Amino acid sequence: MDLKPRRGGGRKMFRGGLAIVVGISLIGLYFSCTVLQDTMNIDRLFHLATSGNEPGSANGADSYLVWSHKCQIPNLDPFDESIRKFATHAKPIICSSKPPLTYVTVVHEGAHKYLLKLNTSAVAHYAVHPENVNCCYSVVTRVNGPDGKEYSRTADNYYSVSECSDFDTEVALHSEEEFILVRCFKTTTRGTKREVYKNTHAVVPVKREVELKLNKSNFEGSSVEKKRLSVFVLGLDSVSRLNLLRTMPKTVHYLRRNGWLELLGYNKIGENTLPNLAAILMGLSQVQMKKQCWVSRYEKFDNCPFIWREFSSLGYVTAYAEDEPAGSTFNYHKTGFVVPPTDYYIRPFLLASEDKLPVKKRASLNVCLGPTPTSEHIFRYITDFATVFKSALYFGVCWINNFSHSSNAIPATVDERVALFFHQLNETGAFNTTFMIFLSDHGMRWGDIRRTSIGWFEERLPFIYIWVPEWFKQKHPDFYKNLKTNRNRLTSPFDLHLTLREILEGSRQGNTTWIPYGCPGCPKCVSLFSEVPAERDCEDAGITANWCTCNKYRPMPIEDEASQAIAFHILSEINSKLKKAANVSASCAELTLDHVISVKRKVPMVSHDDFIVTFDTFPGGAVFEATVRRSDGAFQLKGDISRINSYGNQSDCVDDAELKLYCYCT
Ligand SMILES: *[C@@H]1O[C@H](CO)[C@@H](O)[C@H](O)[C@H]1NC(C)=O
Ligand SMILES: *[C@@H]1O[C@H](CO)[C@@H](O)[C@H](O)[C@H]1NC(C)=O
Ligand SMILES: *[C@@H]1O[C@H](CO)[C@@H](O)[C@H](O)[C@H]1NC(C)=O
Ligand SMILES: *[C@@H]1O[C@H](CO)[C@@H](O)[C@H](O)[C@H]1NC(C)=O
Ligand SMILES: *[C@@H]1O[C@H](CO)[C@@H](O)[C@H](O)[C@H]1NC(C)=O
Ligand SMILES: *[C@@H]1O[C@H](CO)[C@@H](O)[C@H](O)[C@H]1NC(C)=O
Ligand SMILES: *[C@@H]1O[C@H](CO)[C@@H](O)[C@H](O)[C@H]1NC(C)=O
Ligand SMILES: *[C@@H]1O[C@H](CO)[C@@H](O)[C@H](O)[C@H]1NC(C)=O
């Protein structure tokens, strides 16, 4: 997710009472609360989180995750004193005090079919006389934009809602009906109707188009017999590896116990979700993507080379589900897609749910859609997708922002739910057929924790776990061995792209014309099924100096002339960015240097003289951080300038995602 919070500046964010409601039943979501007990049993958490956490072992360098001449990433303590205070607890959010009145269930009559049902035993919660309650349902459909050149920036936001058709206690859904809005009314003794219930349901029917595709693809038998992998990418936004250990010990325990593989040296390559996800899904750097298929934010993403398109043309069923549609990766201050990018695309459902249902917010995110926690819809959708297409091949991407984007603490409240989600996914048989990546894009990018030195590492080192089905391990023992070796190597999203590409080419087998492939964003990157070179530096892995965690930096005195000069250099870069955005600058203040907060210099100085500078500005108190290289006496900015505190409502006068980082509206 690319949104920064509009409300609740840095500080507040971590204090807020946070927590959650988790629906547990598979059909018919109900509420039960998982509340983290106080700031709490840190010791118990710590024990759970660290058991089996052997750090990098190469060269016996136990205190490093990655250890080579070119790269040393320290193994930091997730419960270090400096960040322990950020492991706060959360209060429950109750989406509804009543059980849902409707649910969907599946019947197998030759094919997979959905029934929308009224829960008659819940009616009493809504009316004294159950016979006076009547329900109707509408179908929500995406309104596709025109295929040609003409489209507006809002093309991805249209949906239609059909008229409400009455139903009694159950109704069978048609195979083109994916998203349902239900309303129930109570007839009063005076004969007037009053709405007592409103909810939405998303289902995964085998649509005609998809059935055609499956009929056409010549893959016979189950995935295991086919010896081809399905792929699933599940992302939780903004969770560092250390924050996963702190806040989701049950999930971590589950993953480790069940043989998921972890990559300890996985380093982000860009600021927020878009560049990191684009690197995985397209193999392009942000600059390349902008050149090749996304010239400006007014441009649609339809022309970008998402790898799911290639999987789709091989007969894979595709899905992309991201929550928080207003802030989602391809839509936040962007145009999104004019034509749905995948066979299954949940966006219209979420938009309609947000518009039609009462929404509950926490930390600026929509945590409840009517009676249901938003993430519950997503989990359910994914489990359904995996169930419906268990004997087909699929490529799914799911990205969840809701509970982690704006808070370090909230993930704790969904720990149990995520672990349960994996159990449910296991029951679908997905673990026998699917290569899964469970990961984040980066850690917390702003706020108090980000100002600690561990927070600097956390921003750059997201968690990542990989699941490989048993048959695949047996068929390719070398691939599996390499994956394990790569645990303690420096890796990046570009390596993941190549891994997906290798799976794709593996599935293409038999086609004599298979094309050699590479990764434009990182020519030296490799598929994780090969051994990543031990002696690899950030440049080899497509990671720019500002995101690189391989090096040590030592503080320099901030009063130094050099320190001040570096800060002024970055400040002038920011001001010239603001000036360049000609129309906008009228409303953005010119920034002046308030304080240099810190300057650090890379040690030892091998090939480059690099510095990290942090300073704040006036007006507005923005805190910026940048990496600067000095060569031949001149300074050169390396990578992006980070804004490490929240801009809140200061930048409301601009709607460009980058300018928002810098603009203080006058
Ligand atoms: C129906 O509602 C009752 C509560 O009134 C609940 O116990 C039951 O689990 C619900 N059934 C389904 C299928 O959701
Ligand atoms: C797909 O194949 C099945 C079985 O051969 C057939 O019944 C069905 O009509 C086909 N579907 C489409 C959309 O062509
Ligand atoms: C899936 O469930 C089976 C049976 O309960 C269990 O043995 C296995 O470890 C589980 N696998 C994963 C990856 O959760
Ligand atoms: C969002 O997170 C909250 C906790 O803050 C949780 O109660 C809710 O279930 C989540 N909902 C969605 C939509 O993810
Ligand atoms: C997964 O495969 C194992 C053996 O390979 C089998 O015993 C198990 O039933 C399968 N699980 C599912 C849910 O299909
Ligand atoms: C083989 O690959 C080429 C190039 O990707 C593609 O055009 C062709 O349709 C493929 N043939 C089959 C049978 O998959
Ligand atoms: C600047 O403003 C003019 C008129 O208000 C508008 O036509 C133009 O597109 C704007 N340029 C940019 C870069 O926003
Ligand atoms: C901006 O946010 C601050 C703090 O949250 C608040 O005090 C102020 O009134 C807001 N200003 C506007 C113009 O909304």
Side-chain angles (χ1 to χ4, degrees), residues 227-254:
K227 293 280 182 275
R228 286 177 163 92
L229 288 171
S230 283
V231 176
F232 200 80
V233 179
L234 170 66
L236 299 186
D237 199 271
S238 306
V239 183
S240 66
R241 194 181 73 85
L242 294 186
N243 203 35
L244 191 80
L245 295 175
R246 274 194 300 271
T247 58
M248 304 187 79
K250 290 191 173 128
T251 300
V252 169
H253 187 69
Y254 174 86

PDB file of all heavy atoms in Angstrom, residues 227-254:
ATOM      1  N   LYS A 227       3.153 -32.152 -12.526  1.00  0.00           N
ATOM      2  CA  LYS A 227       4.482 -31.697 -12.133  1.00  0.00           C
ATOM      3  C   LYS A 227       4.673 -30.225 -12.497  1.00  0.00           C
ATOM      4  O   LYS A 227       5.678 -29.814 -13.050  1.00  0.00           O
ATOM      5  CB  LYS A 227       5.572 -32.555 -12.781  1.00  0.00           C
ATOM      6  CG  LYS A 227       5.597 -33.998 -12.266  1.00  0.00           C
ATOM      7  CD  LYS A 227       6.323 -34.088 -10.918  1.00  0.00           C
ATOM      8  CE  LYS A 227       6.405 -35.501 -10.389  1.00  0.00           C
ATOM      9  NZ  LYS A 227       5.201 -35.912  -9.633  1.00  0.00           N
ATOM     10  N   ARG A 228       3.643 -29.448 -12.209  1.00  0.00           N
ATOM     11  CA  ARG A 228       3.736 -28.009 -12.430  1.00  0.00           C
ATOM     12  C   ARG A 228       3.264 -27.323 -11.169  1.00  0.00           C
ATOM     13  O   ARG A 228       2.383 -27.821 -10.465  1.00  0.00           O
ATOM     14  CB  ARG A 228       2.876 -27.602 -13.612  1.00  0.00           C
ATOM     15  CG  ARG A 228       3.480 -28.018 -14.938  1.00  0.00           C
ATOM     16  CD  ARG A 228       2.580 -27.667 -16.095  1.00  0.00           C
ATOM     17  NE  ARG A 228       3.312 -27.690 -17.351  1.00  0.00           N
ATOM     18  CZ  ARG A 228       3.396 -28.769 -18.136  1.00  0.00           C
ATOM     19  NH1 ARG A 228       2.785 -29.895 -17.792  1.00  0.00           N
ATOM     20  NH2 ARG A 228       4.086 -28.721 -19.256  1.00  0.00           N
ATOM     21  N   LEU A 229       3.838 -26.175 -10.902  1.00  0.00           N
ATOM     22  CA  LEU A 229       3.509 -25.478  -9.666  1.00  0.00           C
ATOM     23  C   LEU A 229       2.463 -24.391  -9.892  1.00  0.00           C
ATOM     24  O   LEU A 229       2.541 -23.645 -10.860  1.00  0.00           O
ATOM     25  CB  LEU A 229       4.753 -24.785  -9.109  1.00  0.00           C
ATOM     26  CG  LEU A 229       5.846 -25.630  -8.493  1.00  0.00           C
ATOM     27  CD1 LEU A 229       7.068 -24.755  -8.203  1.00  0.00           C
ATOM     28  CD2 LEU A 229       5.371 -26.289  -7.203  1.00  0.00           C
ATOM     29  N   SER A 230       1.495 -24.298  -8.986  1.00  0.00           N
ATOM     30  CA  SER A 230       0.699 -23.093  -8.880  1.00  0.00           C
ATOM     31  C   SER A 230       1.518 -22.113  -8.042  1.00  0.00           C
ATOM     32  O   SER A 230       2.480 -22.518  -7.370  1.00  0.00           O
ATOM     33  CB  SER A 230      -0.631 -23.378  -8.186  1.00  0.00           C
ATOM     34  OG  SER A 230      -1.528 -24.007  -9.087  1.00  0.00           O
ATOM     35  N   VAL A 231       1.141 -20.843  -8.068  1.00  0.00           N
ATOM     36  CA  VAL A 231       1.915 -19.840  -7.336  1.00  0.00           C
ATOM     37  C   VAL A 231       0.974 -18.969  -6.530  1.00  0.00           C
ATOM     38  O   VAL A 231      -0.089 -18.578  -7.013  1.00  0.00           O
ATOM     39  CB  VAL A 231       2.707 -18.929  -8.306  1.00  0.00           C
ATOM     40  CG1 VAL A 231       3.439 -17.831  -7.542  1.00  0.00           C
ATOM     41  CG2 VAL A 231       3.674 -19.746  -9.144  1.00  0.00           C
ATOM     42  N   PHE A 232       1.369 -18.705  -5.326  1.00  0.00           N
ATOM     43  CA  PHE A 232       0.593 -17.784  -4.518  1.00  0.00           C
ATOM     44  C   PHE A 232       1.510 -16.819  -3.771  1.00  0.00           C
ATOM     45  O   PHE A 232       2.444 -17.240  -3.112  1.00  0.00           O
ATOM     46  CB  PHE A 232      -0.280 -18.561  -3.527  1.00  0.00           C
ATOM     47  CG  PHE A 232      -1.386 -17.704  -3.070  1.00  0.00           C
ATOM     48  CD1 PHE A 232      -2.495 -17.552  -3.870  1.00  0.00           C
ATOM     49  CD2 PHE A 232      -1.274 -16.957  -1.921  1.00  0.00           C
ATOM     50  CE1 PHE A 232      -3.493 -16.664  -3.516  1.00  0.00           C
ATOM     51  CE2 PHE A 232      -2.267 -16.077  -1.563  1.00  0.00           C
ATOM     52  CZ  PHE A 232      -3.380 -15.944  -2.357  1.00  0.00           C
ATOM     53  N   VAL A 233       1.257 -15.530  -3.909  1.00  0.00           N
ATOM     54  CA  VAL A 233       2.035 -14.518  -3.198  1.00  0.00           C
ATOM     55  C   VAL A 233       1.104 -13.849  -2.196  1.00  0.00           C
ATOM     56  O   VAL A 233       0.089 -13.275  -2.581  1.00  0.00           O
ATOM     57  CB  VAL A 233       2.573 -13.443  -4.179  1.00  0.00           C
ATOM     58  CG1 VAL A 233       3.360 -12.378  -3.426  1.00  0.00           C
ATOM     59  CG2 VAL A 233       3.426 -14.079  -5.266  1.00  0.00           C
ATOM     60  N   LEU A 234       1.434 -13.974  -0.920  1.00  0.00           N
ATOM     61  CA  LEU A 234       0.607 -13.349   0.114  1.00  0.00           C
ATOM     62  C   LEU A 234       1.428 -12.288   0.827  1.00  0.00           C
ATOM     63  O   LEU A 234       2.462 -12.600   1.427  1.00  0.00           O
ATOM     64  CB  LEU A 234       0.140 -14.409   1.118  1.00  0.00           C
ATOM     65  CG  LEU A 234      -0.540 -13.842   2.372  1.00  0.00           C
ATOM     66  CD1 LEU A 234      -1.853 -13.171   2.034  1.00  0.00           C
ATOM     67  CD2 LEU A 234      -0.770 -14.931   3.394  1.00  0.00           C
ATOM     68  N   GLY A 235       1.006 -11.048   0.748  1.00  0.00           N
ATOM     69  CA  GLY A 235       1.774  -9.968   1.353  1.00  0.00           C
ATOM     70  C   GLY A 235       1.045  -9.297   2.500  1.00  0.00           C
ATOM     71  O   GLY A 235      -0.162  -9.102   2.464  1.00  0.00           O
ATOM     72  N   LEU A 236       1.789  -8.980   3.531  1.00  0.00           N
ATOM     73  CA  LEU A 236       1.290  -8.112   4.603  1.00  0.00           C
ATOM     74  C   LEU A 236       2.106  -6.836   4.501  1.00  0.00           C
ATOM     75  O   LEU A 236       3.335  -6.879   4.555  1.00  0.00           O
ATOM     76  CB  LEU A 236       1.529  -8.726   5.988  1.00  0.00           C
ATOM     77  CG  LEU A 236       0.881 -10.061   6.320  1.00  0.00           C
ATOM     78  CD1 LEU A 236       1.150 -10.395   7.793  1.00  0.00           C
ATOM     79  CD2 LEU A 236      -0.605 -10.011   6.057  1.00  0.00           C
ATOM     80  N   ASP A 237       1.424  -5.725   4.343  1.00  0.00           N
ATOM     81  CA  ASP A 237       2.115  -4.468   4.122  1.00  0.00           C
ATOM     82  C   ASP A 237       2.927  -4.020   5.344  1.00  0.00           C
ATOM     83  O   ASP A 237       2.466  -4.138   6.474  1.00  0.00           O
ATOM     84  CB  ASP A 237       1.057  -3.406   3.803  1.00  0.00           C
ATOM     85  CG  ASP A 237       1.644  -2.203   3.126  1.00  0.00           C
ATOM     86  OD1 ASP A 237       2.069  -1.263   3.821  1.00  0.00           O
ATOM     87  OD2 ASP A 237       1.678  -2.220   1.887  1.00  0.00           O
ATOM     88  N   SER A 238       4.108  -3.491   5.091  1.00  0.00           N
ATOM     89  CA  SER A 238       4.897  -2.802   6.126  1.00  0.00           C
ATOM     90  C   SER A 238       5.238  -3.619   7.378  1.00  0.00           C
ATOM     91  O   SER A 238       5.109  -3.113   8.490  1.00  0.00           O
ATOM     92  CB  SER A 238       4.168  -1.521   6.607  1.00  0.00           C
ATOM     93  OG  SER A 238       3.846  -0.684   5.553  1.00  0.00           O
ATOM     94  N   VAL A 239       5.667  -4.846   7.216  1.00  0.00           N
ATOM     95  CA  VAL A 239       6.077  -5.625   8.394  1.00  0.00           C
ATOM     96  C   VAL A 239       7.529  -6.069   8.228  1.00  0.00           C
ATOM     97  O   VAL A 239       7.848  -6.880   7.355  1.00  0.00           O
ATOM     98  CB  VAL A 239       5.178  -6.858   8.621  1.00  0.00           C
ATOM     99  CG1 VAL A 239       5.589  -7.582   9.894  1.00  0.00           C
ATOM    100  CG2 VAL A 239       3.706  -6.473   8.676  1.00  0.00           C
ATOM    101  N   SER A 240       8.382  -5.536   9.065  1.00  0.00           N
ATOM    102  CA  SER A 240       9.786  -5.943   9.012  1.00  0.00           C
ATOM    103  C   SER A 240       9.916  -7.353   9.561  1.00  0.00           C
ATOM    104  O   SER A 240       9.021  -7.861  10.233  1.00  0.00           O
ATOM    105  CB  SER A 240      10.623  -4.997   9.865  1.00  0.00           C
ATOM    106  OG  SER A 240      10.261  -5.152  11.226  1.00  0.00           O
ATOM    107  N   ARG A 241      11.065  -7.958   9.296  1.00  0.00           N
ATOM    108  CA  ARG A 241      11.313  -9.298   9.828  1.00  0.00           C
ATOM    109  C   ARG A 241      11.261  -9.265  11.356  1.00  0.00           C
ATOM    110  O   ARG A 241      10.684 -10.137  11.998  1.00  0.00           O
ATOM    111  CB  ARG A 241      12.688  -9.794   9.360  1.00  0.00           C
ATOM    112  CG  ARG A 241      12.912 -11.279   9.567  1.00  0.00           C
ATOM    113  CD  ARG A 241      14.290 -11.688   9.107  1.00  0.00           C
ATOM    114  NE  ARG A 241      15.309 -11.228  10.022  1.00  0.00           N
ATOM    115  CZ  ARG A 241      15.688 -11.887  11.120  1.00  0.00           C
ATOM    116  NH1 ARG A 241      15.139 -13.042  11.435  1.00  0.00           N
ATOM    117  NH2 ARG A 241      16.610 -11.390  11.914  1.00  0.00           N
ATOM    118  N   LEU A 242      11.844  -8.215  11.927  1.00  0.00           N
ATOM    119  CA  LEU A 242      11.848  -8.134  13.381  1.00  0.00           C
ATOM    120  C   LEU A 242      10.443  -7.879  13.935  1.00  0.00           C
ATOM    121  O   LEU A 242      10.078  -8.398  14.984  1.00  0.00           O
ATOM    122  CB  LEU A 242      12.802  -7.029  13.863  1.00  0.00           C
ATOM    123  CG  LEU A 242      14.291  -7.255  13.591  1.00  0.00           C
ATOM    124  CD1 LEU A 242      15.110  -6.157  14.256  1.00  0.00           C
ATOM    125  CD2 LEU A 242      14.755  -8.615  14.086  1.00  0.00           C
ATOM    126  N   ASN A 243       9.656  -7.089  13.214  1.00  0.00           N
ATOM    127  CA  ASN A 243       8.310  -6.835  13.732  1.00  0.00           C
ATOM    128  C   ASN A 243       7.437  -8.080  13.630  1.00  0.00           C
ATOM    129  O   ASN A 243       6.547  -8.292  14.451  1.00  0.00           O
ATOM    130  CB  ASN A 243       7.640  -5.651  13.039  1.00  0.00           C
ATOM    131  CG  ASN A 243       6.536  -5.040  13.897  1.00  0.00           C
ATOM    132  OD1 ASN A 243       6.657  -5.011  15.135  1.00  0.00           O
ATOM    133  ND2 ASN A 243       5.458  -4.627  13.281  1.00  0.00           N
ATOM    134  N   LEU A 244       7.693  -8.908  12.644  1.00  0.00           N
ATOM    135  CA  LEU A 244       6.960 -10.170  12.568  1.00  0.00           C
ATOM    136  C   LEU A 244       7.307 -11.016  13.800  1.00  0.00           C
ATOM    137  O   LEU A 244       6.436 -11.600  14.441  1.00  0.00           O
ATOM    138  CB  LEU A 244       7.297 -10.943  11.285  1.00  0.00           C
ATOM    139  CG  LEU A 244       6.377 -12.134  11.019  1.00  0.00           C
ATOM    140  CD1 LEU A 244       5.063 -11.663  10.392  1.00  0.00           C
ATOM    141  CD2 LEU A 244       7.020 -13.179  10.134  1.00  0.00           C
ATOM    142  N   LEU A 245       8.595 -11.051  14.153  1.00  0.00           N
ATOM    143  CA  LEU A 245       9.009 -11.811  15.339  1.00  0.00           C
ATOM    144  C   LEU A 245       8.382 -11.243  16.611  1.00  0.00           C
ATOM    145  O   LEU A 245       7.956 -11.985  17.493  1.00  0.00           O
ATOM    146  CB  LEU A 245      10.534 -11.794  15.487  1.00  0.00           C
ATOM    147  CG  LEU A 245      11.336 -12.497  14.388  1.00  0.00           C
ATOM    148  CD1 LEU A 245      12.823 -12.286  14.597  1.00  0.00           C
ATOM    149  CD2 LEU A 245      11.020 -13.990  14.359  1.00  0.00           C
ATOM    150  N   ARG A 246       8.312  -9.922  16.684  1.00  0.00           N
ATOM    151  CA  ARG A 246       7.740  -9.285  17.875  1.00  0.00           C
ATOM    152  C   ARG A 246       6.243  -9.513  17.990  1.00  0.00           C
ATOM    153  O   ARG A 246       5.724  -9.780  19.059  1.00  0.00           O
ATOM    154  CB  ARG A 246       7.960  -7.756  17.820  1.00  0.00           C
ATOM    155  CG  ARG A 246       9.266  -7.277  18.360  1.00  0.00           C
ATOM    156  CD  ARG A 246       9.218  -5.756  18.566  1.00  0.00           C
ATOM    157  NE  ARG A 246       8.956  -5.037  17.328  1.00  0.00           N
ATOM    158  CZ  ARG A 246       9.902  -4.627  16.487  1.00  0.00           C
ATOM    159  NH1 ARG A 246      11.173  -4.878  16.745  1.00  0.00           N
ATOM    160  NH2 ARG A 246       9.586  -3.972  15.397  1.00  0.00           N
ATOM    161  N   THR A 247       5.542  -9.342  16.861  1.00  0.00           N
ATOM    162  CA  THR A 247       4.087  -9.254  16.967  1.00  0.00           C
ATOM    163  C   THR A 247       3.342 -10.493  16.504  1.00  0.00           C
ATOM    164  O   THR A 247       2.167 -10.647  16.824  1.00  0.00           O
ATOM    165  CB  THR A 247       3.554  -8.057  16.147  1.00  0.00           C
ATOM    166  OG1 THR A 247       3.954  -8.235  14.796  1.00  0.00           O
ATOM    167  CG2 THR A 247       4.078  -6.752  16.669  1.00  0.00           C
ATOM    168  N   MET A 248       3.976 -11.379  15.746  1.00  0.00           N
ATOM    169  CA  MET A 248       3.246 -12.526  15.244  1.00  0.00           C
ATOM    170  C   MET A 248       3.961 -13.847  15.558  1.00  0.00           C
ATOM    171  O   MET A 248       4.234 -14.645  14.653  1.00  0.00           O
ATOM    172  CB  MET A 248       2.990 -12.367  13.740  1.00  0.00           C
ATOM    173  CG  MET A 248       2.268 -11.067  13.419  1.00  0.00           C
ATOM    174  SD  MET A 248       1.743 -10.884  11.698  1.00  0.00           S
ATOM    175  CE  MET A 248       0.285 -11.883  11.662  1.00  0.00           C
ATOM    176  N   PRO A 249       4.244 -14.072  16.842  1.00  0.00           N
ATOM    177  CA  PRO A 249       5.017 -15.271  17.191  1.00  0.00           C
ATOM    178  C   PRO A 249       4.306 -16.573  16.832  1.00  0.00           C
ATOM    179  O   PRO A 249       4.960 -17.558  16.502  1.00  0.00           O
ATOM    180  CB  PRO A 249       5.206 -15.135  18.708  1.00  0.00           C
ATOM    181  CG  PRO A 249       4.125 -14.226  19.156  1.00  0.00           C
ATOM    182  CD  PRO A 249       3.898 -13.273  18.021  1.00  0.00           C
ATOM    183  N   LYS A 250       2.994 -16.589  16.884  1.00  0.00           N
ATOM    184  CA  LYS A 250       2.280 -17.835  16.574  1.00  0.00           C
ATOM    185  C   LYS A 250       2.408 -18.167  15.093  1.00  0.00           C
ATOM    186  O   LYS A 250       2.580 -19.323  14.720  1.00  0.00           O
ATOM    187  CB  LYS A 250       0.804 -17.710  16.945  1.00  0.00           C
ATOM    188  CG  LYS A 250       0.624 -17.678  18.438  1.00  0.00           C
ATOM    189  CD  LYS A 250      -0.823 -17.812  18.832  1.00  0.00           C
ATOM    190  CE  LYS A 250      -0.911 -17.946  20.341  1.00  0.00           C
ATOM    191  NZ  LYS A 250      -1.851 -16.976  20.907  1.00  0.00           N
ATOM    192  N   THR A 251       2.320 -17.131  14.277  1.00  0.00           N
ATOM    193  CA  THR A 251       2.476 -17.332  12.837  1.00  0.00           C
ATOM    194  C   THR A 251       3.897 -17.814  12.533  1.00  0.00           C
ATOM    195  O   THR A 251       4.091 -18.772  11.783  1.00  0.00           O
ATOM    196  CB  THR A 251       2.168 -16.012  12.093  1.00  0.00           C
ATOM    197  OG1 THR A 251       0.825 -15.637  12.395  1.00  0.00           O
ATOM    198  CG2 THR A 251       2.323 -16.163  10.601  1.00  0.00           C
ATOM    199  N   VAL A 252       4.868 -17.159  13.155  1.00  0.00           N
ATOM    200  CA  VAL A 252       6.260 -17.544  12.932  1.00  0.00           C
ATOM    201  C   VAL A 252       6.486 -18.992  13.367  1.00  0.00           C
ATOM    202  O   VAL A 252       7.103 -19.784  12.653  1.00  0.00           O
ATOM    203  CB  VAL A 252       7.214 -16.603  13.711  1.00  0.00           C
ATOM    204  CG1 VAL A 252       8.637 -17.132  13.709  1.00  0.00           C
ATOM    205  CG2 VAL A 252       7.160 -15.198  13.113  1.00  0.00           C
ATOM    206  N   HIS A 253       5.932 -19.322  14.502  1.00  0.00           N
ATOM    207  CA  HIS A 253       6.073 -20.677  15.026  1.00  0.00           C
ATOM    208  C   HIS A 253       5.462 -21.679  14.042  1.00  0.00           C
ATOM    209  O   HIS A 253       6.063 -22.706  13.730  1.00  0.00           O
ATOM    210  CB  HIS A 253       5.358 -20.732  16.373  1.00  0.00           C
ATOM    211  CG  HIS A 253       5.551 -22.013  17.104  1.00  0.00           C
ATOM    212  ND1 HIS A 253       6.762 -22.381  17.629  1.00  0.00           N
ATOM    213  CD2 HIS A 253       4.686 -23.006  17.386  1.00  0.00           C
ATOM    214  CE1 HIS A 253       6.634 -23.551  18.212  1.00  0.00           C
ATOM    215  NE2 HIS A 253       5.384 -23.959  18.068  1.00  0.00           N
ATOM    216  N   TYR A 254       4.290 -21.347  13.537  1.00  0.00           N
ATOM    217  CA  TYR A 254       3.615 -22.219  12.572  1.00  0.00           C
ATOM    218  C   TYR A 254       4.475 -22.427  11.319  1.00  0.00           C
ATOM    219  O   TYR A 254       4.666 -23.548  10.849  1.00  0.00           O
ATOM    220  CB  TYR A 254       2.260 -21.615  12.179  1.00  0.00           C
ATOM    221  CG  TYR A 254       1.584 -22.390  11.074  1.00  0.00           C
ATOM    222  CD1 TYR A 254       0.792 -23.503  11.367  1.00  0.00           C
ATOM    223  CD2 TYR A 254       1.766 -22.048   9.738  1.00  0.00           C
ATOM    224  CE1 TYR A 254       0.201 -24.247  10.365  1.00  0.00           C
ATOM    225  CE2 TYR A 254       1.178 -22.784   8.727  1.00  0.00           C
ATOM    226  CZ  TYR A 254       0.397 -23.882   9.041  1.00  0.00           C
ATOM    227  OH  TYR A 254      -0.171 -24.619   8.045  1.00  0.00           O
TER     228      TYR A 254
END
